[in-house]
Amino acid sequence: MIKTSKKNKEKQNTMASFAKDITQVKLPRPTRVKNKTPAPLQITAEQLLREARERQESQILPPHQNITDPTELSDYRLRLRKDFEDRIRRPGPSTQVWLNYARWEESQKDYARARSVWERALQADYRNHAVWVKYAEFEMRNMFVNSARNVWDRAVTVLPRVDQLWYKYIHMEEMLGNISGAREVFERNRTCERYLREGGEVARARDVYERAVKNLGDDEELFVAFAEFEERCKEVERARVIYKFGLDRVGRGEELYKKFVAFEKQHGDKERIDDVIVGRRRVEYEEQVRKSPLNYDAWFDYVRLEEEEASSVGDKERVREVYERAVGNVPPANEKRYWRRYIYLWINYALFEEIEAEDVDRARQVYRECLKLVPHASFSFAKIWLLAAQFEIRQLNLTAARKILGNGIGKATNKDKIFKKYIEIELELGEIDRCRRLYEKYLEWSPDNCYVWCKYAEFEISLEETERARGIFELAVSQTTLDLPEVLWKGYIDFEMSQGEVERTRALYERLLERTKHYKVWVSFAKFEAGEQDEDEEEDGIERKQECIRRTRAVFDRAYVYYKEVIPEMKEERSTLLEEWLNMEMSFGMLGDVSIVKSKLPKKLKKRKAITGEDGSVEYVEYTDYLFPEELEASNLKILEAAIRWKKQKVGAFCNV
């Protein structure tokens, strides 16, 4: 027995391995791709799909059968019924399977079997009103009127809340001419609705829903079901209140919000639909500011929403409430970068009170609270001071505006904008003395600001106070430090030239050359001398031109000598100066002499120089070098001296031989 069992086991193992070899799918060995470069001819996805469609085989359809024998017909029916029954027995059959089964039995004229299939479908899903409708239509289509009436009667009894069943039932009776029957069905429908409303079931259901809301709390599906229940009971206002209450409790409930919008589209008007949308956005903004109170962009959007709503509804208190909550979120650090967005909440708040709410006192209070809150010792915002002052000017309160601007000058760290606007306001009012005092205060605070010196002088020039303007310029150029001295000197020189003071202008250029020898100053001085040409009288005009040309050449010659002897390394500036001189000589026409300049012009040479980087690498950069005539002569002398020395060495060597 032991030997036999071992042999059986060996046979079983052999058969199992044999079956495994037979059933195992042997995949081909994967080939390694050696050449991974793209093919010269690329194939697009569109071409692949087109080829697959062209190569696709035609669909294989079952052959058409011609049944000529009752036996074949019964076999055919048996086979299809078995197929339908198998599909029905599968887990979770769809309603469409039952409908196809019943329609097939109807096509075979076997009405008893079809009716049996419909009844089985109702047993599987009696709450599906579509099955009831199809069942009744089957009876009506085959002229079984009493059976159809029986189906409709059962349907409205099982599903009394589905209006479609009642409408179809009444329509059938009307088509049959049974007016009394249609009237009876209609009365049954009204009686059913009256029973549902007054029979006590609605009150009990509502009580259950209310207790569920109280105990379960923030359940979105519960609010949807409660509101739909009230809607079915024709209690539109109750349903609307439930939707709003649910949105307030749940917050961001997507399904609840969609249901509410659909409800308002069906039962409400345009204003109510807008209210739903606004309420939804309000909930979203509330959630954003709750999560991040310092997200000022969210506060701006929230306030903008409330302002738009207030413009149509007129609820300004809600806008004020949002503004107060927003400005209450003060930045945690006294750094200006954190306050830049925050400060605009105050600005918008004040503008809302002044323009939209037309409440001047509240707008003034908003500006005061904002100015108290800003830490002026660390930083300040000139915009707030200016807006507060302009607000008082619009209220015709100049005293308050001047007081605000004065406080701003005293407290603000950056006073430039306040000074400029204050001076502009006083100038528009014609307060000359106040403008002068403001300019003096401005210069006391910033004595190195050339912009202020020039504006102060221009102010006096506009009043034709020439001596005052000249005195201001003299004070300005005597300052030890200036931020833009070239602007100041140019303004002073232009002023003297506009007054026709040639000697004063020339003296200013000489004073400027004592401070800087920049080639642009030399060129400007020379152009000034060349511009002093008077052509009123021909003889005197020629003499004056010659004198101007002489002075111009003298300026250029002084500049050339300075660059040649004092700073010979500034070759590019000296070359630029000579080019300006050459252009000037050419502009003189017949009186000019370009040969004076051409003999001094350098040769431009392209050279390369090595630049060593931080990592030790060497790069060569091209640059332009200038070789002036005196340098060329010196190089020629060196070559000549070297040639003479070489010749002497040759002669000495020959004599020794």
Side-chain angles (χ1 to χ4, degrees):
M1 291 297 291
I2 296 173
K3 293 181 180 179
T4 305
S5 62
K6 286 184 178 180
K7 289 182 180 180
N8 291 335
K9 287 183 180 180
E10 290 177 357
K11 288 182 180 181
Q12 290 176 359
N13 293 335
T14 304
M15 292 297 293
S17 62
F18 179 70
K20 183 178 180 181
D21 293 337
I22 294 175
T23 58
Q24 187 176 8
V25 178
K26 294 183 179 180
L27 298 176
R29 171 184 279 181
T31 58
R32 295 181 60 186
V33 179
K34 296 182 179 179
N35 186 6
K36 296 184 179 180
T37 58
L41 181 62
Q42 296 293 319
I43 301 176
T44 63
E46 183 181 358
Q47 291 174 331
L48 292 174
L49 292 174
R50 185 169 61 251
E51 290 179 3
R53 194 180 298 110
E54 290 174 354
R55 297 179 182 180
Q56 186 176 6
E57 296 180 357
S58 60
Q59 186 177 3
I60 300 175
L61 299 175
H64 183 71
Q65 294 180 348
N66 293 323
I67 299 175
T68 59
D69 190 280
T71 306
E72 293 181 0
L73 179 60
S74 61
D75 292 341
Y76 165 72
R77 289 175 175 173
L78 180 63
R79 186 171 62 254
L80 284 186
R81 286 190 181 107
K82 183 177 182 301
D83 181 58
F84 277 120
E85 291 293 338
D86 290 341
R87 291 165 63 186
I88 289 172
R89 279 194 294 269
R90 292 173 186 170
S94 63
T95 306
Q96 191 63 35
V97 178
W98 289 105
L99 297 180
N100 294 338
Y101 192 5
R103 287 169 182 167
W104 181 81
E105 292 290 358
E106 182 183 0
S107 66
Q108 300 300 312
K109 306 298 182 182
D110 195 341
Y111 302 119
R113 285 183 178 274
R115 193 173 287 112
S116 174
V117 173
W118 284 115
E119 292 293 338
R120 289 169 64 192
L122 289 176
Q123 290 179 0
D125 187 9
Y126 72 92
R127 293 186 178 182
N128 191 345
H129 69 279
V131 179
W132 288 102
V133 172
K134 298 294 182 182
Y135 187 10
E137 289 177 351
F138 154 74
E139 299 288 3
M140 294 165 60
R141 189 164 51 248
N142 296 287
M143 305 301 296
F144 299 115
V145 178
N146 290 330
S147 297
R149 188 176 285 119
N150 185 28
V151 172
W152 287 123
D153 191 70
R154 290 166 58 196
V156 297
T157 303
V158 175
L159 302 174
R161 298 180 184 274
V162 182
D163 296 335
Q164 185 183 10
L165 299 176
W166 291 101
Y167 296 153
K168 292 277 188 181
Y169 193 3
I170 294 171
H171 180 66
M172 186 194 74
E173 296 293 352
E174 288 179 351
M175 294 293 293
L176 295 173
N178 187 8
I179 306 301
S180 60
R183 187 178 292 112
E184 182 181 355
V185 174
F186 185 74
E187 289 295 332
R188 285 178 60 191
N189 183 23
R190 295 190 60 182
T191 304
C192 181
E193 288 185 359
R194 194 180 305 114
Y195 171 75
L196 291 175
R197 288 185 183 179
E198 301 175 2
E201 297 298 327
V202 174
R204 290 183 180 180
R206 185 177 292 122
D207 182 63
V208 172
Y209 275 121
E210 290 175 354
R211 283 186 293 167
V213 169
K214 183 178 180 181
N215 295 326
L216 298 180
D218 303 336
D219 190 349
E220 183 180 1
E221 296 181 358
L222 176 61
F223 286 109
V224 172
F226 193 4
E228 289 179 346
F229 162 75
E230 296 291 355
E231 186 178 359
R232 287 194 299 269
C233 296
K234 312 300 181 184
E235 296 288 347
V236 177
E237 290 300 326
R238 281 179 174 270
R240 182 175 288 115
V241 172
I242 292 168
Y243 275 123
K244 291 182 178 180
F245 180 73
L247 287 174
D248 292 338
R249 290 283 297 275
V250 175
R252 298 189 63 179
E254 296 293 337
E255 186 65 24
L256 184 61
Y257 175 70
K258 290 179 181 178
K259 292 286 186 180
F260 191 19
V261 172
F263 170 81
E264 290 295 351
K265 287 181 179 179
Q266 182 178 358
H267 300 285
D269 52 9
K270 183 178 181 300
E271 293 182 358
R272 291 187 180 276
I273 296 173
D274 293 340
D275 290 341
V276 174
I277 297 173
V278 170
R280 173 64 172 179
R281 293 174 60 190
R282 187 178 287 126
V283 170
E284 292 177 355
Y285 290 140
E286 283 288 347
E287 185 172 356
Q288 290 181 17
V289 298
R290 179 182 59 81
K291 290 181 178 178
S292 179
L294 298 179
N295 184 4
Y296 299 121
D297 290 331
W299 284 111
F300 281 122
D301 295 336
Y302 194 2
V303 167
R304 193 178 300 112
L305 171 68
E306 296 298 345
E307 287 182 348
E308 292 174 357
E309 186 69 12
S311 62
S312 58
V313 179
D315 189 5
K316 296 181 176 60
E317 290 299 326
R318 192 179 187 93
V319 182
R320 290 191 179 107
E321 178 188 354
V322 177
Y323 267 123
E324 290 292 338
R325 291 171 56 197
V327 298
N329 296 287
V330 182
N334 287 344
E335 295 184 21
K336 195 168 185 177
R337 59 194 178 99
Y338 296 118
W339 287 65
R340 292 187 186 277
R341 293 289 291 164
Y342 169 73
I343 206 67
Y344 278 95
L345 287 171
W346 286 98
I347 293 173
N348 293 347
Y349 189 9
L351 293 176
F352 166 77
E353 293 291 353
E354 180 186 1
I355 299 172
E356 300 295 335
E358 297 180 355
D359 194 335
V360 176
D361 294 333
R362 290 185 70 95
R364 183 178 290 113
Q365 186 64 27
V366 170
Y367 280 121
R368 288 176 181 173
E369 293 297 328
C370 178
L371 290 173
K372 288 180 183 178
L373 184 64
V374 176
H376 301 289
S378 303
F379 57 86
S380 185
F381 293 93
K383 192 177 187 68
I384 292 293
W385 295 103
L386 296 178
L387 287 174
Q390 290 169 350
F391 164 75
E392 295 295 348
I393 291 172
R394 287 193 293 272
Q395 310 308 318
L396 304 179
N397 192 350
L398 291 177
T399 304
R402 286 177 176 139
K403 184 177 179 181
I404 291 172
L405 291 173
N407 290 334
I409 291 172
K411 293 181 179 180
T413 54
N414 185 9
K415 310 176 192 295
D416 284 299
K417 292 182 180 179
I418 302 176
F419 268 119
K420 291 175 184 177
K421 193 63 180 180
Y422 199 177
I423 292 170
E424 180 184 341
I425 292 171
E426 295 295 354
L427 186 59
E428 290 178 355
L429 296 173
E431 296 289 343
I432 305 300
D433 293 335
R434 286 182 178 273
C435 290
R436 285 183 176 136
R437 287 198 294 271
L438 286 172
Y439 271 120
E440 291 170 2
K441 292 289 184 183
Y442 200 171
L443 290 171
E444 286 178 6
W445 175 68
S446 179
D448 59 342
N449 194 334
C450 293
Y451 169 83
V452 185
W453 287 106
C454 292
K455 286 296 181 181
Y456 192 8
E458 290 174 5
F459 168 72
E460 295 293 351
I461 293 170
S462 66
L463 299 175
E464 298 182 356
E465 294 286 350
T466 307
E467 293 302 323
R468 278 181 172 272
R470 185 173 288 117
I472 291 168
F473 276 123
E474 284 294 333
L475 283 174
V477 298
S478 63
Q479 299 297 316
T480 55
T481 57
L482 293 170
D483 55 357
L484 295 171
E486 64 276 7
V487 175
L488 181 62
W489 280 97
K490 185 179 183 303
Y492 195 2
I493 291 170
D494 291 342
F495 163 69
E496 294 294 357
M497 290 176 63
S498 66
Q499 299 298 321
E501 297 289 344
V502 179
E503 294 300 328
R504 287 180 179 273
T505 306
R506 189 173 289 119
L508 281 175
Y509 272 115
E510 294 293 346
R511 290 170 59 187
L512 181 57
L513 287 172
E514 292 176 1
R515 299 195 177 197
T516 177
K517 296 292 193 300
H518 198 278
Y519 80 94
K520 289 185 178 181
V521 179
W522 291 105
V523 173
S524 178
F525 192 7
K527 288 181 178 180
F528 161 72
E529 294 292 359
E532 290 299 318
Q533 301 177 17
D534 189 6
E535 299 180 358
D536 293 341
E537 297 180 4
E538 188 174 353
E539 295 181 359
D540 294 342
I542 294 174
E543 293 178 359
R544 186 171 183 81
K545 282 184 179 180
Q546 291 176 347
E547 179 64 22
C548 290
I549 292 171
R550 186 188 65 79
R551 288 180 177 276
T552 303
R553 287 173 180 163
V555 174
F556 274 121
D557 191 62
R558 286 171 57 193
Y560 178 74
V561 171
Y562 171 76
Y563 276 103
K564 178 182 177 182
E565 297 179 356
V566 180
I567 47 174
E569 67 276 4
M570 305 292 287
K571 294 183 178 182
E572 186 175 357
E573 285 76 5
R574 185 165 30 146
S575 175
T576 307
L577 181 70
L578 289 172
E579 289 176 0
E580 292 285 347
W581 191 357
L582 180 62
N583 294 333
M584 189 71 70
E585 291 290 346
M586 294 172 65
S587 67
F588 291 153
M590 298 296 295
L591 299 176
D593 187 1
V594 295
S595 62
I596 301 173
V597 187
K598 285 186 176 180
S599 62
K600 298 179 174 62
L601 287 175
K603 289 184 178 180
K604 294 183 180 179
L605 304 175
K606 290 288 185 179
K607 293 185 178 181
R608 298 176 67 193
K609 60 180 178 181
I611 298 178
T612 305
E614 296 180 356
D615 56 351
S617 60
V618 179
E619 295 182 0
Y620 290 91
V621 180
E622 284 191 356
Y623 70 97
T624 304
D625 195 11
Y626 301 89
L627 187 63
F628 288 90
E630 62 272 13
E631 296 175 341
L632 185 60
E633 292 176 0
S635 63
N636 291 336
L637 287 174
K638 290 179 180 179
I639 294 172
L640 182 59
E641 290 175 357
I644 292 171
R645 286 196 301 270
W646 177 79
K647 188 175 182 179
K648 287 180 179 180
Q649 291 175 0
K650 284 289 186 182
V651 172
F654 179 75
C655 292
N656 293 331
V657 175

